[in-house]
Every structure is written in C-alpha cells, then in structure tokens.
C-alpha cells in the first residue's frame, strides 16, 4: 500500500477551472464514499480549499488508483475529464509524503506562511474519519504532517515572513481607492474565518474607515462580526442579506467571502452603482459573477488576480528554514515507515519463540514433576531471559538496517533463518502496512498533467 495524491491547485489551473472542481464540506462524504467504494482505494481524504482540491489516498496500484480517483472526481464535480486531466498533478510514494508535509507547512500555499491550512487539513481529516475512510496509513502521515506544520509556524519565522492572502487582497483594493481608506464605506459578505480576518486587517490598516456593514446567511452571525469590528474601534452595523443589492450603491468597497454554492451577485445587481465600487471576491467558487469586472466603474480583486499579482516579498531565510524542517521530518517519517515494514516479521519471530519456550517448559514439567512453584518460576524466568537476550540483537538490528531501505531483504533473511511460515507473518501483518514507496513503477510526483 502506498500514498497517492491527485489534485488541482492555483499552481496548475486558473480560477475558472478551480471553481468547477471545488467540493463543499457537506458534499465531501459523498465523494469519499465514491472514491473508497471501487476497491482500488483503501483509504481516502479530500482537502478542498479556495486554492486547491486534492485527494490523499492509500492505494495498492498506482495506475488503477489514479484512474479511479480521477473518474470519481470528474463525475462528482461535473468537470470534464479532459479538462481535469489537463490541470491535475499526481504525487506517489515518497513524493506524495513530501507534498503532504509541504502543504501542511504552507509551502505550497498561494501565500507561504498562511496559518489557515492547518485548520483545513484537520477539518478534512475529521470529515474523512467520520466517513470511515481513514486507516492506519493516512492517520500516520496526516498526523505527522500536522505536527510538522505546527512546528513550522512555531519554530520558524515563516508565519511573519510574508503578507497573508487577505492582506494582499486589501493592498490591491487600496490601490483602487483614490482617497485611501479614510471615510470609505465597506460591506463584508460572509462572517466566517475569512470575514474575521478581513475585519482584523481593517482595524489595523484603516482606523479612519467610514463604516462597515456586515452580511451573513444568519443575522446572528452578521451581528457577531459587526460587534467584533466595533470592539476594535470601527463603526459597524449588521445588514440583512435581503438588503445587500439595494445597498451596493452606497459602498466604496465590497468584500465577499461567503463561500456560497452558486453566485450571490450578478451584473444586473450593480446597475445602480454611481461613482464606482471595488469588489474583493475571496471565495472559490466566486460569489460575484466574473462579468461584473466588465462593468464601468467596477474594479474586481479576486483569487485569480492575487495569483497573477507581483511575487510576494518573502523572507528567504525563513523559507529555507521551513524547507529544511520539512525535509528533516519527511526523512524521519520515511525511515520510520521502513522500520515498521519489518515489525510483522519481528513480532512473528517473538511469537514463535514464546511458543517454543512454552513447549519446552511443559516438557520439563513432565520430566521433573518434583519442582515446586518457586523453582518452576525461576526456571521459566531464566529460559525467557536467555531467549530475549538471543533475540535482542537480531531484532533490534533488523529495524535499524531496515531504515536504510532494505527492510524487505532483512525481513526475508529472518524468516529463512528462523523458519517462520509465511502464514504466521501474514497473520501479524493483517491487511498490510502503509509503505512510502510502491511496487508498481510510477512518476515520482512530478507536478505534471496526467496523460
């Protein structure tokens, strides 16, 4: 069993493709059931954010796994298989582990150092666990990746090395405001995590802001976000979604981050715009129809323009520190997996040794029935001590040597030397352990389209 990653991200696809393949959290269990139900995939997790859709899976065979996951994703999202194939990438075995760790450490994010990805990976793991598609393979790699991502945030300066996506977006918005933020009226649609980040950023950068009006699917959420803005010194009120279109003409800036299924605003909704408005759409799929960008007096900032914008100023020293941390953690994880590959053989060997000891002690009891309980206990302890000492060096060394990549050879040597039956090892192994590599040859994770 090996790790496979298939995905589409801001690095390989334009926003027009990304918003077709995004999978909302409530729909993920259905997709997971489709992926895990075909027999080609043993475990699966779906990571869907505004910048990527990825399937992390444990598979027996590379080509069958890629074909099945690609077909399941295309059928679920309605995206054409040809379009999906053109923009997707695949990582397998060790390269897949490297990619998962890099994603959790935000090295593959649109904004390197952003902290949201850790929560998104945790949420994806929780959803897959609830759906019953996480086993020992995914559990191990995801938990270690999360620990690595957390270490990247706490042990390096990458979290402060570059601006956040929200900060970059508001920088682009400010460039379209002739008078700056002073006196500007801002509408915020969406009271989730992104909406809270927008409010936090505005409190820092725009103390002279005119007014903030918050909108959400529920009035309670809109009021909560308005109260957060007000507590930071901004003038803020909560509006009703039914009033949004009517109020558009009063806004200098409209920030949307509702993450709605379907379009919230279309070109006709902006018909009454007077002096102009800057629309900042941070959702994928987009909350605002792309045609709005063609209207006179409307400027649009979205995740596509962020991706196409100038390269972020990132502290290269901080970036190198995270890359070194990820490389170290990936190496440690892979070595651990190699060592784990011989555990079934070592366990079977110790079980066989226990059986031999039990047989010999029983034979001794029949030959020396006069031994009292204390004497029998001392003999048992001595025999077990001898066996443990004899087995300690070979079982310890085989784990150490397995870390060098030849675990299978050493495990086979142990089986031959001690006459372990294949069935005894299989019984310990169960359904098989997750291995970082794969038996079937495959492109080691090149970020190229799958042809």
């Amino acid at each position: 069993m090996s790790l496979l990653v298939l995905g589409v991200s801001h690095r390989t696809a334009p926003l027009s493709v990304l918003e077709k393949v995004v999978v909302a959290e409530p729909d993920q269990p259905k997709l997971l059931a489709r992926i895990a139900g075909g027999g080609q995939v043993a475990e699966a997790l779906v990571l869907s954010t505004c910048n990527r859709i990825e399937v992390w899976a444990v598979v027996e065979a590379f080509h069958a796994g890629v074909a099945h996951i690609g077909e399941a994703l295309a059928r679920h999202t309605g995206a054409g298989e040809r379009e999906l194939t053109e923009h997707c990438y695949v990582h397998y075995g060790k390269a897949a582990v490297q990619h998962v760790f890099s994603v959790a450490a935000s090295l593959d994010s649109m904004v390197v150092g952003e902290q949201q990805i850790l929560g998104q990976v945790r949420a994806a793991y929780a959803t897959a666990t609830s759906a019953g598609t996480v086993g020992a393979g995914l559990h191990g790699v995801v938990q270690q990746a999360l620990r690595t991502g957390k270490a990247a945030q706490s042990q390096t300066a990458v979290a402060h090395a570059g601006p956040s996506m929200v900060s970059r977006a508001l920088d682009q918005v400010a460039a379209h405001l002739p008078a700056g933020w002073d006196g500007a009226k801002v509408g915020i649609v969406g009271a989730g995590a992104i909406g809270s980040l927008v409010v936090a950023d505005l409190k820092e950068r725009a103390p002279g802001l005119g007014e903030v009006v918050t909108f959400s699917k529920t009035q309670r959420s809109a009021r909560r976000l308005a109260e957060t803005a007000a507590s930071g010194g901004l003038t803020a009120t909560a509006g009703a979604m039914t009033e949004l279109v009517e109020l558009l003409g009063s806004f200098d800036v409209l920030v949307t981050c509702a993450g709605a299924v379907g379009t919230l605003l279309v070109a006709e909704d902006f018909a009454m715009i007077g002096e102009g408005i800057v629309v900042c759409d941070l959702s994928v799929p987009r909350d605002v129809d792309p045609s709005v960008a063609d209207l006179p007096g409307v400027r649009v900032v979205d995740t596509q323009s962020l991706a196409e914008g100038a390269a972020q100023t990132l502290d290269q020293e901080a970036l190198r520190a995270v890359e070194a941390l990820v490389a170290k953690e990936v190496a440690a994880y892979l070595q651990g997996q190699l060592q784990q590959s011989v555990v079934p053989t070592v366990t079977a060997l110790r079980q066989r040794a226990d059986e031999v000891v039990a047989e010999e002690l029983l034979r001794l009891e029949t030959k020396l029935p006069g031994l009292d309980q204390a004497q029998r206990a001392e003999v048992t302890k001595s025999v077990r001590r001898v066996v443990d000492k004899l087995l300690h060096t070979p079982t310890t060394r085989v784990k150490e040597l397995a870390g060098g990549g030849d675990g299978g050879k050493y495990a086979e040597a142990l089986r031959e030397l001690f006459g372990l039956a294949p069935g005894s090892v299989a019984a310990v192994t169960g359904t098989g352990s997750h291995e970082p590599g794969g038996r079937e040859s495959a492109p080691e994770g090149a970020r190229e389209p799958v042809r």
Side-chain angles (χ1 to χ4, degrees):
M1 291 288 182
S2 299
L3 185 65
L4 171 70
V5 173
L6 184 148
V8 178
S9 80
H10 63 99
R11 296 183 183 275
T12 62
L15 180 57
S16 58
V17 174
L18 270 177
E19 59 188 355
K20 289 181 184 178
V21 297
V22 70
V23 181
E25 188 173 342
D27 296 329
Q28 289 180 17
K30 185 177 180 180
L31 175 57
L32 286 167
R34 188 190 296 271
I35 291 172
Q40 293 88 349
V41 175
E43 303 175 38
L45 173 154
V46 173
L47 177 64
S48 184
T49 75
C50 61
N51 294 324
R52 75 181 65 246
I53 169 73
E54 291 185 353
V55 176
W56 300 354
V58 175
V59 300
E60 180 67 36
F62 171 76
H63 294 290
V66 169
H68 176 69
I69 294 171
E71 180 184 2
L73 192 57
R75 289 181 62 187
H76 183 86
T77 62
E81 284 195 48
R82 179 176 296 181
E83 186 175 42
L84 185 63
T85 298
E86 182 181 351
H87 295 286
C88 79
Y89 49 86
V90 172
H91 300 289
Y92 186 63
K94 297 176 183 177
V97 175
Q98 174 76 41
H99 178 78
V100 167
F101 279 50
S102 295
V103 167
S106 84
L107 286 176
D108 200 56
S109 296
M110 181 183 292
V111 178
V112 175
E114 57 95 3
Q115 300 177 35
Q116 276 187 288
I117 188 63
L118 278 174
Q120 291 164 339
V121 172
R122 287 192 188 99
Y125 174 80
T127 298
T129 300
S130 298
T133 60
V134 172
L138 275 181
H139 172 77
V141 72
V142 172
Q143 292 305 314
Q144 188 59 41
L146 286 170
R147 285 190 285 271
T148 300
K150 188 175 180 180
Q153 296 290 335
S154 63
Q155 297 176 18
T156 76
V158 72
H160 310 289
S164 69
M165 185 181 76
V166 168
S167 180
R168 290 179 64 194
L170 295 180
D171 284 344
Q172 289 193 15
V173 169
H176 297 300
L177 297 174
W181 292 101
D182 286 350
K185 185 174 181 179
V186 178
I188 301 175
V189 183
I194 298 295
S196 298
L197 290 173
V198 171
V199 166
D201 196 291
L202 287 175
K203 287 191 293 187
E204 294 293 328
R205 75 166 62 220
L209 204 62
E211 182 183 359
V212 172
V213 183
T214 60
F215 302 87
S216 184
K217 287 181 287 187
T218 67
Q219 196 65 16
R220 180 181 179 182
S221 297
R223 282 197 298 268
R224 187 186 303 117
L225 187 61
E227 290 168 0
T228 300
S231 68
L234 300 177
T235 301
T237 57
M241 287 295 291
T242 53
E243 303 172 331
L244 177 59
V245 174
E246 180 183 343
L247 293 173
L248 283 178
S250 68
F251 294 132
D252 299 292
V253 176
L254 179 70
V255 180
T256 67
C257 45
V261 178
T263 305
L264 287 180
L265 298 168
V266 296
E268 291 77 8
D269 296 327
F270 291 81
M272 302 303 293
I273 296 299
E275 297 183 0
I277 185 173
V278 182
V279 177
C280 180
D281 189 346
L282 298 177
S283 290
V284 178
R286 285 174 279 203
D287 291 327
V288 181
D289 190 274
S291 63
V292 169
D294 298 327
L295 297 176
V298 179
R299 302 286 186 179
V300 174
V301 173
D302 57 22
T303 57
Q304 186 70 39
S305 65
L306 291 175
E308 295 171 350
Q312 68 182 88
T313 55
L314 181 66
D315 185 336
Q316 293 302 307
E317 184 177 348
L319 178 60
R320 286 192 294 271
V322 177
E323 290 174 338
L325 174 67
V326 169
K328 176 184 174 183
E329 293 299 329
V330 167
Y333 173 81
L334 293 175
Q335 183 177 36
Q337 289 298 302
L338 290 170
Q339 291 174 341
Q340 283 296 311
S341 68
V342 301
V343 167
T345 299
V346 171
T347 302
L349 174 58
R350 289 198 171 274
Q351 288 178 349
R352 179 58 186 144
D354 288 341
E355 292 170 1
V356 171
V357 168
E359 291 169 1
E360 290 303 314
L361 289 174
L362 181 61
R363 204 159 67 100
L364 181 65
E365 187 173 348
T366 60
K367 287 190 172 184
L368 299 173
L371 291 176
D372 60 30
Q373 187 173 356
Q375 290 171 328
R376 275 199 297 270
E378 187 60 38
V379 171
T380 299
K381 188 186 299 184
S382 297
V383 172
R384 292 192 183 281
R385 190 182 301 119
V386 169
V387 171
D388 286 342
K389 287 185 177 181
L390 287 173
L391 292 183
H392 175 74
T393 299
T395 55
T396 301
R397 284 292 291 155
V398 76
K399 290 180 181 179
E400 294 172 352
L401 293 168
D406 291 324
K409 294 179 181 178
Y410 292 114
E412 184 179 355
L414 271 185
R415 290 194 293 270
E416 288 293 328
L417 288 170
F418 289 93
L420 298 177
S424 64
V425 178
V428 174
T429 307
T431 57
S433 59
H434 164 60
E435 297 178 5
R439 296 178 183 176
E440 183 178 0
S441 61
E444 270 294 315
R447 192 177 276 123
E448 298 178 356
V450 181
R451 301 299 181 189

